């Protein structure tokens, strides 16, 4: 579910800042209708090449096919040759939002997978249909009347067909809905790219504007791929928490005063052995959710297995005890129900569990705390982690579901 934080706001705004910058640069070019040099014309193709290389490297078929379709479309719009430019532009204005919607709704499975190759063949077929129609004597797409906007339709600035406007609007709705539900910054990147495509399709007669906004769209994809790779490297995919690698980076800037808590799920191996790894994963997600909810003022990391780490910068053990007690109590009180195979289809009224329908188990955690102070500056961060780990073993020896420091 969507959660608002400063990092997500910054990342979400980047595509629109890029488009705004491109618009400001394009306004002077639009007025002067200046000619472009060869280097400037080549910029979008350079950005597109890097976007394709990165998408192949990360096996991100969604960006790869979007960039491929846009690159071919922009190349043809720049030099239509024997193709009918109006028919091709109208066809592409329908094709792009449809492809964006497909890419948003179909599960990501990589470029070279069977599903990825099928998507590629479908998009090639759709693009060929537009090209073939634009090459006919009387193309069908040419008959579509453009929709007038604020700028109106002039000899150079032509609106896109009404159906294209509807499809782009539907595309933006799908992308924004996905962003708010799944909190995926890639959807916001595609939203910016879709808006950039709308501008491109309105100014196809201006090579400078076409080059600027094409570069902006491909740059949006490049930044989104880097952000996605960063998120993959520094976030745990199972729980959504910061990863162990992110914790190592945190130690480089945290200083010599902090409290570190090691949180270990009690009897986790028994849960895995009895109910399976799928239930074990749900337990880890539940504990991660409690840590994010109750560990206020601390940064939560997935350390490995059933272990989590919470770092409280510039706080002492005394200042964090009540917070960690709230975490321990919150996990203990959080109900964890395992749905059985014979459970009824309808949820029963009240808190009574039907026989054979579900099983309620209690999840608890043991917490070990260690503190680093200015007097302990010679101790490494690894030694502080080891101290907290030993405290966890003492907590388990004391009966589990407790805090030791």
């Amino acid at each position: 579910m969507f959660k608002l934080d400063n990092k997500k706001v910054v990342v979400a705004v980047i595509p629109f800042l890029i488009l705004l910058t491109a618009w400001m640069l394009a306004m002077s070019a639009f007025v002067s209708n200046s000619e472009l040099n060869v280097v400037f014309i080549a910029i979008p193709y350079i950005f597109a090449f890097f976007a394709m290389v990165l998408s192949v490297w990360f096996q991100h078929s969604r960006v790869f096919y979007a960039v491929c379709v846009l690159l071919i479309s922009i190349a043809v719009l720049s030099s239509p040759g024997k193709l009918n430019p109006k028919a091709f532009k109208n066809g592409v204005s329908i094709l792009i939002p449809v492809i964006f919607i497909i890419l948003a709704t179909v599960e990501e499975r990589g470029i070279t997978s069977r599903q990825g190759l099928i998507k590629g063949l479908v998009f090639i077929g759709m693009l060929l249909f537009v090209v073939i129609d634009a090459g006919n004597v009387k193309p069908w797409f040419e008959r579509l009347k453009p929709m007038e906007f604020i700028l109106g339709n002039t000899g150079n600035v032509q609106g896109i067909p009404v159906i294209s406007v509807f499809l782009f609007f539907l595309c933006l709705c799908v992308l924004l809905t996905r962003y708010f539900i799944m909190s995926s910054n890639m959807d916001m990147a595609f939203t910016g790219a879709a808006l950039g495509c709308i501008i491109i399709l309105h100014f196809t007669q201006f090579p400078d504007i076409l080059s600027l906004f094409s570069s902006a769209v491909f740059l949006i994809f490049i930044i989104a791929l880097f952000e996605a790779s960063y998120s993959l490297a520094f976030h745990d995919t199972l729980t959504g928490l910061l990863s162990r690698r992110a914790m190592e980076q945190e130690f480089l800037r945290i200083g010599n005063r902090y409290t570190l808590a090691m949180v270990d799920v009690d009897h986790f191996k028994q849960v895995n052995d009895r109910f399976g790894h799928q239930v074990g994963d749900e337990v880890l997600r539940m504990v991660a959710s409690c840590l994010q909810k109750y560990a206020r003022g601390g940064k939560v990391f997935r350390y490995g297995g059933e272990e989590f780490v919470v770092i409280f910068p510039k706080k002492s053990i005394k200042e964090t005890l009540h917070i960690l007690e709230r975490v321990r109590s919150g996990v203990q009180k959080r109900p964890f129900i395992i749905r059985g195979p014979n459970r009824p289809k309808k949820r029963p009224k009240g808190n009574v569990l039907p026989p054979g329908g579900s099983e309620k188990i209690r999840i608890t955690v043991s917490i070990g705390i260690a503190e680093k102070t200015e007097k302990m500056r010679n101790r490494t961060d690894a030694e502080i982690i080891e101290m907290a780990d030993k405290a966890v073993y003492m907590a388990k020896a004391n009966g589990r579901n407790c805090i030791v420091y």
Side-chain angles (χ1 to χ4, degrees):
M1 185 60 69
F2 179 76
K3 292 182 180 180
L4 188 65
D5 59 55
N6 294 335
K7 182 177 179 294
K8 286 192 177 296
V9 170
V10 171
V11 174
V13 168
I14 285 176
F16 305 102
L17 290 177
I18 293 174
L19 290 177
L20 179 61
T21 303
W23 182 265
M24 292 171 65
L25 292 173
M27 282 302 93
S28 59
F30 177 75
V31 174
S32 63
N33 196 19
S34 60
E35 293 296 328
L36 299 175
N37 56 51
V38 177
V39 176
F40 192 60
I41 292 174
I43 288 177
Y45 298 96
I46 295 172
F47 281 170
F49 172 76
F50 278 113
M52 290 171 66
V53 169
L54 288 172
S55 58
V56 171
W57 182 266
F58 297 123
Q59 279 296 297
H60 205 295
S61 65
R62 195 176 170 194
V63 172
F64 178 79
Y65 288 123
V67 171
C68 287
V69 170
L70 291 177
L71 182 61
I72 295 171
S73 301
I74 289 166
V76 176
L77 287 170
S78 302
S79 302
K82 295 181 180 180
L83 298 180
N84 186 307
K86 182 179 178 182
F88 183 79
K89 188 191 80 168
N90 288 348
V92 166
S93 67
I94 294 174
L95 182 67
I96 291 173
V98 170
I99 288 178
F100 278 20
I101 291 171
I102 293 173
L103 291 172
T105 53
V106 175
E107 186 180 359
E108 174 65 65
R109 290 289 182 86
I111 301 170
T112 56
S113 66
R114 182 182 176 185
Q115 188 187 57
L117 294 174
I118 290 173
K119 281 193 293 187
L121 291 173
V122 170
F123 297 153
I124 290 172
M126 295 167 69
L127 196 56
L128 281 176
F129 177 78
V130 174
V131 171
I132 292 170
D133 180 76
N136 291 334
V137 179
K138 294 182 179 179
W140 181 82
F141 285 119
E142 188 182 21
R143 304 175 204 170
L144 300 177
K145 292 184 178 180
M147 181 174 182
E148 294 189 10
F149 285 99
I150 298 174
L151 293 173
N153 294 331
T154 65
N156 290 324
V157 182
Q158 291 287 330
I160 57 178
V162 177
I163 186 173
S164 301
V165 175
F166 170 76
L167 289 172
F168 268 112
F169 177 76
L170 179 62
C171 174
L172 293 172
C173 289
V174 170
L175 292 170
L176 289 173
T177 301
R178 275 178 54 90
Y179 176 72
F180 285 109
I181 292 176
M182 303 177 67
S183 192
S184 170
N185 290 318
M186 189 59 72
D187 290 308
M188 191 55 68
F190 268 81
T191 302
L195 292 173
C197 290
I198 294 173
I199 297 172
I200 290 170
L201 291 167
H202 276 80
F203 295 93
T204 55
Q205 297 299 318
F206 293 87
D208 39 11
I209 296 179
L210 184 64
S211 179
L212 273 169
F213 279 97
S214 301
S215 301
V217 169
F218 294 136
L219 182 59
I220 287 171
F221 282 132
I222 290 172
I223 293 174
L225 285 168
F226 275 117
E227 194 281 330
S229 66
Y230 173 87
S231 180
L232 190 64
F234 288 88
H235 286 81
D236 176 58
T237 54
L238 176 64
T239 61
L241 297 176
L242 292 168
S243 66
R244 188 167 178 170
R245 184 175 178 182
M247 185 185 72
E248 292 169 357
Q249 293 291 319
E250 180 69 16
F251 282 134
L252 297 177
R253 56 175 176 267
I254 199 172
N256 293 318
R257 185 176 167 230
Y258 63 84
T259 293
L260 185 146
M262 182 79 74
V263 181
D264 189 285
V265 182
D266 295 329
H267 303 295
F268 183 71
K269 187 177 183 301
Q270 294 179 20
V271 174
N272 268 339
D273 292 343
R274 182 180 177 189
F275 301 106
H277 290 283
Q278 188 173 359
V279 172
D281 290 346
E282 290 300 323
V283 169
L284 293 176
R285 291 191 188 98
M286 185 271 282
V287 174
S289 175
C290 289
L291 285 167
Q292 287 181 308
K293 181 178 180 181
Y294 297 115
R296 300 291 175 83
K299 283 192 175 183
V300 185
F301 303 86
R302 170 90 184 277
Y303 187 70
E306 68 272 27
E307 293 179 317
F308 302 86
V309 166
V310 186
I311 298 177
F312 297 91
K314 302 188 184 305
K315 286 185 181 292
S316 64
I317 290 179
K318 186 177 180 180
E319 291 173 306
T320 61
L321 271 176
H322 70 285
I323 300 174
L324 293 169
E325 173 59 29
R326 192 164 57 227
V327 170
R328 186 203 62 77
S329 176
V331 173
Q332 181 184 7
K333 293 178 181 178
R334 181 90 169 253
F336 191 86
I337 300 173
I338 298 172
R339 305 296 292 266
N342 301 321
R343 66 183 183 272
K345 293 183 178 179
K346 291 184 178 180
R347 185 177 180 180
K349 295 181 179 180
N351 295 322
V352 179
L353 297 176
S358 303
E359 182 176 351
K360 187 186 235 181
I361 63 173
R362 190 179 77 152
I363 303 299
T364 61
V365 294
S366 298
I367 303 175
I369 314 176
E371 181 183 357
K372 185 174 183 179
T373 62
E374 291 290 341
K375 295 179 180 179
M376 302 167 62
R377 62 171 63 246
N378 292 330
R379 291 208 171 185
T380 64
D381 298 313
E383 289 177 321
I384 301 299
I385 293 174
E386 187 177 353
M387 291 169 59
D389 197 39
K390 288 180 180 178
V392 168
Y393 279 105
M394 291 177 62
K396 288 185 178 294
N398 291 344
R400 294 181 170 86
N401 190 26
C402 61
I403 301 173
V404 171
Y405 56 94

